[in-house]
Amino acid sequence: MNIGIIGLGKMGSAIARNLLATGHQVCVWNRTVERSEALRKEGALIAETPAQACRGEITITCLSDDAAVEAVVCGEQGIAAELSAGGIHVSMSTISPTLAQRLAQIHQNAGQRFIAAPVFGRPEVAAAARLLIVVAGDTAAIARCQPVFDAIGQRAINVGADPSAALWVKLAGNFLLVSAVESLSEVIALLQRSGTDAQACLDVLTSTLFAAPAYQNYARLILQQQHEAGFRLGLALKDVTLVRDAASSLNMTLPTVELLHDQLQNATSHGWREQDLSVLARLPRAEIQL
């Protein structure tokens, strides 16, 4: 298949490499040219503008936030203006449900199709083509994109025809993930303060009551103080803010979201925005109310 990819962060680059490795023709564009050039040696075509990356039947966006996605779709020579009739825009970004609905309407008006397909998985999972993909949108378009999903992930789960549904799943998942990391940070601080062997205690808990990747992986990262960026703290703050805003639009206040928002902002104020979410555990122990 002829596929365009816009956005070459760690996730976008891994997705591009896996598509190339499975024989797809890939054309990439990134705001900073260096990341595009790194893929040229692996067989990717390099677009000079986002418009040039939209000449295939499928265009994938892997961008950081609503503003970046909307600019690439709606801007001059953007996806909506350049994608062919019947072409498919697959958004793998974590964006707001509201924007997903708006993009679906924009593409429908242009005779194009839109799929929301946010992913779960850290960069190393993306590199191993083991992403979990949550998809929603036009049924026929999703079926057409199945070879793409097969090349980059372990499973694609269809959650319906409304693209916003995929974003609700993604935001709910990230809310729970950040909650788990905050809870682990506090528990580890408590155990260490008490003089208990935190590693032994977490080994018990993460192999029994909390035998889930989120607890197992982040317990390891926190205990080993490995905070190199995988899921950047700044992106976690963005996602929690999206949850907070979505709840507000429904006239709801979620106490845990408010706590997480404050903790993430606090961590950001320490200059940790580009580090991994696990860096939450570095907040001064005095600031964690045990």
Side-chain angles (χ1 to χ4, degrees):
M1 300 178 74
N2 189 342
I3 303 163
I5 299 180
I6 296 175
L8 296 174
K10 291 182 179 180
M11 301 298 282
S13 294
I15 288 168
R17 288 189 171 95
N18 285 325
L19 288 169
L20 286 165
T22 49
H24 295 283
Q25 181 176 326
V26 177
C27 181
V28 300
W29 180 85
N30 194 71
R31 190 176 44 150
T32 54
V33 178
E34 292 78 11
R35 290 182 180 174
S36 299
E37 289 298 330
L39 286 163
R40 188 193 297 273
K41 299 175 183 178
E42 299 179 45
L45 302 175
I46 309 301
E48 294 183 2
T49 65
Q52 289 183 4
C54 299
R55 294 176 179 171
E57 63 177 300
I58 297 173
T59 299
I60 297 171
T61 48
C62 297
L63 300 165
S64 60
D65 55 27
D66 280 31
V69 174
E70 192 162 18
V72 163
V73 173
C74 302
E76 186 177 353
Q77 293 188 320
I79 297 173
E82 299 296 328
L83 193 62
S84 62
I88 304 169
H89 171 201
V90 180
S91 172
M92 292 190 161
S93 308
T94 303
I95 57 176
S96 67
T98 300
L99 178 58
Q101 289 180 320
R102 188 158 69 249
L103 293 177
Q105 188 61 57
I106 288 169
H107 285 297
Q108 182 178 336
N109 292 343
Q112 303 154 352
R113 294 175 289 178
F114 175 75
I115 297 172
V119 300
F120 288 109
R122 291 169 62 85
E124 60 269 24
V125 175
R130 297 291 294 166
L131 291 169
L132 177 63
I133 309 160
V134 183
V135 299
D138 179 82
T139 302
I142 290 173
R144 184 69 185 121
C145 291
Q146 191 59 49
V148 172
F149 302 145
D150 290 342
I152 67 173
Q154 57 175 299
R155 186 180 176 194
I157 302 173
N158 188 334
V159 296
D162 182 350
S164 68
L167 275 310
W168 282 111
V169 173
K170 173 63 172 173
L171 291 177
N174 279 8
F175 170 29
L176 291 172
L177 176 63
V178 179
S179 300
V181 174
E182 172 62 22
S183 297
L184 281 167
S185 298
E186 295 183 22
V187 162
I188 289 170
L190 175 65
L191 293 171
Q192 291 175 335
R193 181 78 61 89
S194 75
T196 302
D197 185 335
Q199 178 72 69
C201 183
L202 268 294
D203 285 346
V204 171
L205 293 173
T206 60
S207 64
T208 55
L209 293 177
F210 301 98
Y215 286 98
Q216 293 164 346
N217 293 337
Y218 277 98
R220 174 180 55 80
L221 292 174
I222 292 170
L223 287 167
Q224 295 179 3
Q225 299 184 45
Q226 294 180 5
H227 306 309
E228 296 81 8
F231 178 25
R232 288 188 287 120
L233 185 132
L235 292 179
L237 176 58
K238 181 264 296 184
D239 292 348
V240 167
T241 302
L242 286 176
V243 176
R244 189 177 185 233
D245 291 346
S248 178
S249 73
L250 298 172
N251 297 315
M252 298 175 67
T253 299
L254 303 178
T256 304
V257 167
E258 296 299 324
L259 172 96
L260 295 175
H261 189 265
D262 290 347
Q263 287 291 85
L264 290 164
Q265 282 196 317
N266 189 358
T268 299
S269 73
H270 284 77
W272 302 336
R273 187 179 186 88
E274 299 303 315
Q275 295 194 52
D276 190 75
L277 173 61
S278 61
V279 80
L280 272 179
R282 287 180 57 191
L283 285 175
R285 297 281 73 89
E287 296 179 5
I288 299 178
Q289 303 298 316
L290 300 174

